[in-house]
Amino acid sequence: MSIPVIVAIDGPSGTGKSSTSRAVAARLGLSYLDTGAQYRAITWWMLSNGVDVNDPLAIADQAGKPAIVAGTDPAAPAITVDGVDASGPIRTQEVTAAVSAVSAVPEVRTRMVEIQRAAAASAPAGIVVEGRDIGTTVLPDATVKIFLTASPEVRAARRSGELKGAQSVADTQAALIRRDAADSGRTTSPLAKADDAVEVDTSELSLEQVVEQVVALVGEKRAAR
Ligand SMILES: Nc1ncnc2c1ncn2[C@@H]1O[C@H](COP(=O)(O)OP(=O)(O)O)[C@@H](O)[C@H]1O
Ligand SMILES: Nc1ccn([C@H]2C[C@H](O)[C@@H](COP(=O)(O)OP(=O)(O)O)O2)c(=O)n1
């Protein structure tokens, strides 16, 4: 058996983290973990249970309550909260608007990071983990670290394509920029590129080209060890 490979993929919203991570994991036979889905899931629980998402003390107090379980099959990403499928509700604009505030609370992060490290440690062949602080904080010893970027215009166009006109491209771009600022500016493990991460600007690349680059980097690291 070869040593498990750990791939950390970080970056702001709409840069292609989820699509790239799933495709790389599927191609290399690795597990896959979407940590953003976990932060969205705990945010959904807070909103559903009447917790004031602008009150960090209230969030901290409740952070230990919901059971968040994320699947690790790249072919069928799954997320449940207290056993209930949360894959639809975590993508609503209400959750998107509240997730940065909830995920800035240290007690929330401590819990999520524990679950994320356990998933990485138990993946038989290795795992691709995507998020904001994977290379810096969650898995600082990852085999390969990637930091994806793209221009705000490209990211907003990609996101509004998914929202199917529910929000204008200009509003989507403004919301992305607000979330970037909140995620990069928080005190506990902000969105940041690790010093040893490879930065890939995906603005002008197809998904296939990004996947190829990441797969090639993993191959190089494997060959070197
Ligand atoms: N390199 C790319 N070129 C064009 N579209 C892309 C590319 N990467 C991702 N996408 C599309 O952009 C949208 C956002 O991608 P996603 O992987 O969800 O980004 P993130 O996880 O960083 O928010 C999706 O609709 C996806 O299909
Ligand atoms: N490792 C992570 C992953 C996500 N988060 C927070 C910050 C992000 O704005 C939200 C949502 O992340 P998600 O990856 O689902 O966001 P997008 O799909 O890129 O819009 O969660 C985090 O704080 N740390």
Side-chain angles (χ1 to χ4, degrees), residues 6-9 135-136 139-147 194 196-198:
I6 306 283
V7 183
I9 302 195
T136 54
L139 301 165
D141 297 327
T143 326
V144 174
K145 298 182 188 178
I146 310 287
F147 193 81
D196 52 351
V198 176

Side-chain angles (χ1 to χ4, degrees), residues 1 17 48 52 57 85 100 112 114 122 125-126 130 138 148 158 160 175 178 191 222 224:
M1 263 297 271
K17 295 182 302 298
S48 307
D52 178 357
L57 291 178
D85 176 16
S100 292
M112 294 300 122
E114 198 177 307
S122 65
E130 58 140 318
V138 180
L148 297 183
R158 288 177 183 167
S160 40
R178 267 199 307 276
L191 161 64
R222 270 179 159 164

Side-chain angles (χ1 to χ4, degrees), residues 58-120:
I59 294 169
D61 186 57
Q62 300 293 310
K65 289 201 175 160
I68 313 282
V69 179
T72 56
D73 177 357
I79 180 95
T80 62
V81 180
D82 295 335
V84 177
D85 176 16
S87 48
I90 64 167
R91 304 287 162 197
T92 59
Q93 284 185 42
E94 193 192 9
V95 169
T96 301
V99 66
S100 292
V102 173
S103 58
V105 176
E107 286 78 0
V108 168
R109 302 204 71 81
T110 304
R111 249 206 104 204
M112 294 300 122
V113 170
E114 198 177 307
I115 303 174
Q116 292 156 10
R117 288 184 179 147

Side-chain angles (χ1 to χ4, degrees), residues 162-176:
E162 291 174 332
L163 297 171
K164 298 186 179 69
Q167 196 177 39
S168 74
V169 182
D171 287 352
T172 304
Q173 187 169 326
L176 284 182

